[in-house]
Amino acid sequence: MGRLTGKVAFITGAARGQGRAEAIRLAAEGADIIAVDLLDTPSPYVSYSPATQADLDETAKLVQEQGRRIVARKADVRRLDELQAAVTEGVAQLGRLDIVVANAGIVNYGRTWELTEEQWDDVIDINLTGVWKTVKATVPTLIEQGEGGSIIITSSVAGLKGLPFLAHYASSKHGVVGLARVLANELGEHDIRVNTIHPHGVRTGMNDGALNGLLDEAPNLGPLYMPALPYEAVDPEDIAAMVAFLASDEGKYITGSQLRVDLGAINR
């Protein structure tokens, strides 16, 4: 019996990368999954390709191979109605909701004063407002059930440190820390825990090389990105392991915290 047997988890950005790894790990721990992602919608501000229906289908297949059920749907975290519809359908099919993993996000790079308004808005809308809408779509169900729960929000090293060329991203990731701290206080009486996870670089294919070019032009800023441990990045499965811990009873006394999986980068 896994640590999450009988639980149901809602995961955003679940079609690939970190979200897929989280879906597989939570399923391996016994949870059924409600998985959503924005599919086939390229952003003009990022060069990596968008997730596809085939990606989400693969996530569903891998979850089912763990012997668990999954409801996988297209949904944009900027659209509250789409998130609410996915939650409603998922709970109707799977019976409940216990875990919320607000993982969806995008990243791009630029000097603060050179970012366009649209570029700024795109990152804030997905990475910060999208997390709030995810919470708004899921918390009422958690409260109504009256059995507690765990909300895990993906932040970043950039949510604790002023990393250059990431003003919009860092603002969004600092923002979700504030949101999580408030929620931890508001939801404590319902035994709903809220925490943020702060990875260093994760091998998900989101780094398009633009950051390296900017750092080549400003080499004095490069050390701000250096970890203490002798690794360049972590794997999505490493973050999924931390999500499983916070979702399980092993993390039942942890709330309002910032869990760093940062290779020691914050200490530099």
Side-chain angles (χ1 to χ4, degrees), residues 16 41-51 104-109 122-123 126-127 169 204-209:
R16 61 185 183 182
T41 306
S43 168
Y45 308 108
V46 297
S47 61
Y48 52 86
S49 60
I106 65 168
V107 66
N108 52 64
Y109 308 93
D122 204 32
V123 169
I126 293 173
N127 293 9
Y169 183 81
T204 62
M206 290 177 68
N207 186 351
D208 59 5

Side-chain angles (χ1 to χ4, degrees), residues 72-110:
R73 295 292 180 265
K74 177 179 180 178
D76 185 344
V77 295
R78 294 167 293 187
R79 292 289 305 273
L80 179 60
D81 60 332
E82 293 183 7
L83 293 171
Q84 289 172 325
V87 171
T88 298
E89 182 182 0
V91 171
Q93 291 195 33
L94 303 177
R96 57 183 300 108
L97 180 65
D98 305 277
I99 302 154
V100 177
V101 184
N103 167 75
I106 65 168
V107 66
N108 52 64
Y109 308 93

Side-chain angles (χ1 to χ4, degrees), residues 77-80 83 121-136 172 175-176 179:
V77 295
R78 294 167 293 187
R79 292 289 305 273
L80 179 60
L83 293 171
D121 290 344
D122 204 32
V123 169
I124 296 298
D125 285 349
I126 293 173
N127 293 9
L128 177 54
T129 307
V131 171
W132 172 73
K133 291 184 179 182
T134 300
V135 167
K136 187 171 176 64
S172 72
V176 297
L179 175 61

Side-chain angles (χ1 to χ4, degrees), residues 210-230:
L211 176 60
N212 293 336
L214 289 165
L215 290 174
D216 287 342
E217 297 173 9
N220 59 310
L221 298 177
L224 293 172
Y225 282 88
M226 291 179 62
L229 293 174

Side-chain angles (χ1 to χ4, degrees), residues 131-225:
V131 171
W132 172 73
K133 291 184 179 182
T134 300
V135 167
K136 187 171 176 64
T138 54
V139 162
T141 298
L142 295 176
I143 293 175
E144 183 180 354
Q145 287 178 169
E147 299 180 30
S150 178
I151 299 172
I152 302 139
I153 298 172
T154 302
S155 184
S156 166
V157 169
L160 299 172
K161 186 175 182 178
L163 293 178
F165 312 120
L166 283 171
H168 49 347
Y169 183 81
S171 295
S172 72
K173 294 303 187 179
H174 275 75
V176 297
V177 173
L179 175 61
R181 285 172 165 166
V182 170
L183 285 167
N185 289 328
E186 293 178 338
L187 295 174
E189 66 176 305
H190 301 287
D191 196 22
I192 298 170
R193 299 174 288 108
V194 188
N195 296 285
T196 52
I197 291 184
H198 298 259
H200 192 261
V202 183
R203 296 183 183 92
T204 62
M206 290 177 68
N207 186 351
D208 59 5
L211 176 60
N212 293 336
L214 289 165
L215 290 174
D216 287 342
E217 297 173 9
N220 59 310
L221 298 177
L224 293 172
Y225 282 88

